[in-house]
């Protein structure tokens, strides 16, 4: 516990408004997370990061900034952290997961837009996100029209660099993405004054890969029946991954995995239904669907989302003697993320079917943040692919409000009975 | 149900106590500080009442700075 008001004031935050957010967090986290039974002891680290997410972590970032480091905010798994690390900058995720920011987002954006984008913009315009306030630059991308245009609004408040992500996966698109990474390298060099070299880029690749490996290890452990960790806890780990110091995150995620490995031998079959969630991302503190599902006789064992498998699957090879070689390796890895922004995107259906088998899934819940067109439209393709494999599927379209929680619970309950 | 919390002047004192609790195999849960106890953001430590005397001794013997021990119904 600490008094961070002076720090927040110096970050030009709206203290009064931010206090409303601070007031809500302990209760909602307590109700959703701390009421879970038999949590791993190593989750204490993630409780700590969550409790101090606007406190100690921001203080730490401030300290790094005072020592000359730059802070870069990102909002998508396509932004290559490797480049940010290579220039000795700090990469942080941005606030975007709470209903709290929607009202301010809607003051500058249309209402019929995805809540993630509205919350992200609202968090900036309301000056209630200390990550935004700590950033020297935001790195955007063109993964959806909402974000693409929202960056134009955010640019009125702070420097923004937008990476143009190709929307197809032809050979020329891979080359285009290499060019985008090179432009990003140049922009990061200008921002930080640090030159990207083969050596520091390889270090950045190594750090990013180790982070991916720790998350992959956690997800592999969830393949056990029953899973040694709840879906809620695993989701929190994934969410924290975007905000935390990467080395410390890797160390603590591996500690958690060590504990889970020991747990696996003692667990007895629970008979809980094993659920995969696929679709749009869940940023802190969006625990809505997981808490509904796990409040019933079910466990979420994998998320095919950007706050799940898409974040850590596949590593960037570090073979190569030139920056061009390494950029090519990075481009290949990132372009193989199966985001619904691509057309066609058959790789995602293959991933979902593969995970259903690997994680021994009883049913899949398609999670779509309202007005996310690409994922909403792709539902039909996923439905077809899963029908062919006789895997039950439920479609949930929702936002951050609690208004439809009861209704979703009823639908999920009926789905559980059906499977 | 009754819940017991230890509050700290800053997070580093909380982490200091955490390491002693680990060394002494005392179970605890790190929690965001309930608003009923303080309007400051950040961590507190939840503990079991049966360990209270041991925890008090650890705090005293290792000069851990705390704001106090509290119980919420």
């Amino acid at each position: 516990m600490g008094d961070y008001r002076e720090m927040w004031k110096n970050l030009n935050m709206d203290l009064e408004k931010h206090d409303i957010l601070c007031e809500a967090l302990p209760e909602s986290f307590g109700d959703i997370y701390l009421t879970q039974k038999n949590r791993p002891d190593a989750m204490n680290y993630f409780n700590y990061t969550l409790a101090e997410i606007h406190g100690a972590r921001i203080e730490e970032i401030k300290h790094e900034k005072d020592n000359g480091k730059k802070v870069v905010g990102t909002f998508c798994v396509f932004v290559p952290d490797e480049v940010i690390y290579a220039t000795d900058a700090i990469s942080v995720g941005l606030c975007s997961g709470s209903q709290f920011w929607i009202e301010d987002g809607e003051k500058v954006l249309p209402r019929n837009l995805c809540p993630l984008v509205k919350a992200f913009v609202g968090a900036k315009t309301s000056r209630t996100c200390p990550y935004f306030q700590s950033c020297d630059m935001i790195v955007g991308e063109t993964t959806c029209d909402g974000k693409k245009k929202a960056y134009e609004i955010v640019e009125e408040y702070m420097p923004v660099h937008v990476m143009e992500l190709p929307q197809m996966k032809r050979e020329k698109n891979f080359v285009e993405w290499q060019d985008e990474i090179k432009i990003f390298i140049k922009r990061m060099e200008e921002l930080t004054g640090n030159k990207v070299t083969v050596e520091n880029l390889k270090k950045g690749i190594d750090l990013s890969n180790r982070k991916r490996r720790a998350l992959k290890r956690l997800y592999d452990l969830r393949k056990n029946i029953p899973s040694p960790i709840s879906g809620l806890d695993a989701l929190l780990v994934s969410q924290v991954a975007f905000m935390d110091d990467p080395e410390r995150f890797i160390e603590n995620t591996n500690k958690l995995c060590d504990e889970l490995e020991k747990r696996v031998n003692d667990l007895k079959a629970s008979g809980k239904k094993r659920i995969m969630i696929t679709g749009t991302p869940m940023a802190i503190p969006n625990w809505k669907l997981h808490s509904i599902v796990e409040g019933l006789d079910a466990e979420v064992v994998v998320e095919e989302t950007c706050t799940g498998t898409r974040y850590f699957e596949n590593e960037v090879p570090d073979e190569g003697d030139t920056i061009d070689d390494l950029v090519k390796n990075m481009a290949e890895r990132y372009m193989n993320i199966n985001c619904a922004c691509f057309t066609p995107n058959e790789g995602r259906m293959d991933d979902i079917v593969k995970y259903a088998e690997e994680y021994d899934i009883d049913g899949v819940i398609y999670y779509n943040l309202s007005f996310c067109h690409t994922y909403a439209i792709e539902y039909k393709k996923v439905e077809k692919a899963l029908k062919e494999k006789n895997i039950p599927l439920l479609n949930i379209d929702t936002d951050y409000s609690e208004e439809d929680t009861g209704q979703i619970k009823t639908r999920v309950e009926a789905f559980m009975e059906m499977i | 149900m009754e819940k017991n919390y230890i509050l700290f002047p800053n997070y580093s004192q909380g982490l200091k106590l955490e390491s002693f609790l680990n060394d002494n195999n005392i179970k605890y849960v790190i929690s965001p500080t309930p608003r009923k106890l303080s309007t400051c953001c950040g961590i507190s430590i939840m503990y079991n009442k049966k360990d209270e005397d041991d925890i008090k001794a650890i705090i005293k013997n290792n000069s851990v700075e705390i704001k106090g021990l509290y119980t919420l119904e």
Side-chain angles (χ1 to χ4, degrees):
Chain A
M1 201 186 87
D3 191 345
Y4 298 113
R5 275 170 290 207
E6 196 56 33
M7 175 178 77
W8 293 329
K9 200 174 148 195
N10 291 333
L11 285 170
N12 190 27
M13 289 177 65
D14 181 336
L15 295 189
E16 212 173 304
K17 200 169 218 173
H18 181 248
D19 194 53
I20 302 169
L21 188 64
C22 289
E23 195 176 354
L25 187 77
E27 200 178 326
S28 72
F29 187 73
D31 288 348
I32 295 171
Y33 273 88
L34 303 182
T35 51
Q36 295 183 94
K37 301 261 183 290
N38 198 26
R39 292 179 79 208
D41 290 338
M43 281 308 294
N44 268 318
Y45 173 73
F46 299 94
N47 292 357
Y48 159 77
T49 53
L50 192 278
E52 291 285 350
I53 203 143
H54 281 196
R57 178 64 182 137
I58 299 299
E59 202 172 74
E60 195 174 68
I61 289 170
K62 183 195 172 294
H63 187 70
E64 300 271 27
K65 273 179 77 117
D66 291 344
N67 288 330
K69 280 202 182 188
K70 297 292 179 189
V71 182
V72 174
T74 67
F75 194 38
C76 179
V77 297
F78 279 95
V79 176
D81 276 338
E82 291 86 346
V83 175
I84 301 172
Y85 299 149
T87 53
D88 202 25
I90 298 169
S91 169
V92 291
L94 296 166
C95 307
S96 59
S98 169
Q99 179 71 16
F100 175 78
W101 292 302
I102 298 290
E103 194 186 330
D104 282 295
E106 286 181 349
K107 285 179 187 163
V108 287
L109 293 169
R111 291 189 68 207
N112 56 349
L113 194 65
C114 138
L116 194 85
V117 178
K118 285 192 285 193
F120 156 77
V121 173
K124 177 62 212 171
T125 58
S126 64
R127 297 182 289 117
T128 50
C129 171
Y131 290 89
F132 253 123
Q133 300 303 105
S134 301
C135 281
D136 296 289
M137 184 173 85
I138 299 296
V139 188
E141 20 50 53
T142 55
T143 43
C144 76
D145 287 350
K147 281 202 271 178
K148 187 172 77 184
K149 298 305 285 180
Y151 292 127
E152 293 173 23
I153 292 170
V154 175
E155 199 161 30
E156 290 171 19
Y157 295 81
M158 63 198 302
V160 176
H161 175 79
V162 179
M163 299 182 76
E164 187 186 358
L165 181 74
Q167 315 269 284
M168 294 177 81
K169 292 188 179 183
R170 297 164 299 180
E171 208 178 317
K172 78 179 191 99
N173 301 120
F174 279 71
V175 177
E176 283 163 4
W177 188 236
Q178 286 178 43
D179 286 343
E180 278 300 315
I181 295 175
K182 286 177 192 165
I183 294 168
F184 180 48
I185 286 176
K186 199 160 169 280
R187 181 75 190 258
M188 283 305 297
E189 287 177 336
E190 285 164 8
L191 179 77
T192 60
N194 299 327
K195 197 96 185 130
V196 171
T197 63
V198 171
E199 197 193 357
N200 62 28
L201 192 51
K202 281 196 177 186
K203 276 190 186 160
I205 289 172
D206 175 62
L207 180 57
S208 303
N209 282 343
R210 283 188 291 115
K211 192 169 161 184
R212 291 179 185 119
R213 225 169 286 152
L215 283 163
K216 171 91 173 121
R217 188 179 165 207
L218 174 68
Y219 270 61
D220 281 344
L221 279 157
R222 298 170 78 189
K223 291 176 184 170
N224 283 285
I225 303 174
S227 168
I229 184 169
S230 69
L232 272 166
D233 279 339
L235 175 64
L236 181 63
V237 175
S238 289
Q239 291 173 330
V240 164
F242 290 86
M243 325 303 266
D244 201 8
D245 171 76
E247 287 288 5
R248 193 176 52 214
F249 173 81
I250 293 164
E251 187 191 329
N252 282 284
T253 303
N254 278 319
K255 264 189 205 165
L256 171 66
C257 292
D258 292 343
E259 186 183 342
L260 298 181
E261 269 170 13
K262 287 183 197 135
R263 272 185 164 219
V264 164
N265 303 321
D266 301 327
L267 288 172
K268 292 190 178 74
S270 65
K272 285 185 176 177
K273 303 285 185 203
R274 295 172 63 81
I275 302 298
M276 179 197 314
I277 291 176
T278 178
T280 45
M282 296 167 174
I284 290 176
N286 179 7
W287 306 305
K288 186 175 169 179
L289 186 57
H290 280 62
S291 67
I292 292 172
V293 173
E294 297 199 331
L296 302 166
D297 199 21
E299 54 183 1
V300 178
V301 294
V302 59
E303 297 83 10
E304 192 277 318
T305 66
C306 294
T307 41
T309 55
R310 275 179 234 134
Y311 186 42
F312 64 77
E313 283 288 18
N314 305 317
E315 295 189 5
V316 174
D318 69 351
E319 287 100 33
D321 303 318
T322 63
I323 287 177
D324 281 357
D325 291 339
L326 299 176
V327 166
K328 190 164 183 277
N329 296 349
M330 284 160 58
E332 300 246 337
R333 188 263 161 194
Y334 282 94
M335 284 292 285
N336 278 311
I337 298 172
N338 295 314
C339 171
C341 69
F342 290 107
T343 184
N345 191 33
E346 289 303 322
R348 181 166 169 236
M349 314 321 135
D350 298 341
D351 285 346
I352 294 171
V353 169
K354 184 181 79 175
Y355 295 143
E357 195 174 308
E358 283 180 5
Y359 289 83
D360 205 355
I361 294 300
D362 295 308
V364 177
I365 299 180
Y366 200 99
Y367 174 73
N368 199 77
L369 283 169
S370 308
F371 306 110
C372 177
H373 299 319
T374 50
Y375 278 92
I377 294 167
E378 207 159 88
Y379 172 78
K380 277 286 161 203
K381 289 271 182 188
V382 172
E383 185 187 40
K384 186 166 173 275
L386 289 178
K387 204 169 185 181
E388 280 168 13
K389 299 283 175 186
N390 273 326
I391 301 166
L393 175 67
L394 174 70
N395 190 13
I396 299 287
D397 189 279
T398 186
D399 57 17
Y400 295 158
S401 73
E402 292 296 325
E403 284 164 19
D404 58 354
T405 302
Q407 189 198 27
I408 294 172
K409 197 179 163 200
T410 307
R411 292 186 60 208
V412 174
E413 238 166 344
F415 181 62
M416 295 302 167
E417 276 173 30
M418 188 194 86
I419 61 177
Chain B
M1 203 177 68
E2 194 179 88
K3 285 181 184 163
N4 309 294
Y5 295 89
I6 308 163
L7 271 60
F8 306 91
N10 55 58
Y11 72 92
S12 53
Q13 292 299 315
L15 295 182
K16 185 176 168 185
L17 179 61
E18 186 197 18
S19 72
F20 289 119
L21 295 179
N22 280 329
D23 292 346
N24 287 277
N25 289 319
I26 294 174
K27 287 270 180 192
Y28 63 91
V29 174
I30 293 185
S31 160
T33 304
R35 287 291 280 208
K36 280 180 193 162
L37 298 179
S38 170
T39 53
C40 293
C41 271
I43 62 161
S44 56
I45 288 184
M46 279 166 76
Y47 64 94
N48 296 317
K49 197 76 180 171
K50 68 175 175 60
D51 298 321
E52 190 164 287
D53 289 342
D54 292 339
I55 294 172
K56 278 181 178 168
I58 290 170
I59 290 170
K60 195 175 170 212
N61 296 339
N62 298 287
S63 311
V64 180
E65 293 169 43
I66 63 163
K67 275 196 158 181
L69 279 70
Y70 302 87
T71 300
L72 282 181
E73 294 299 327

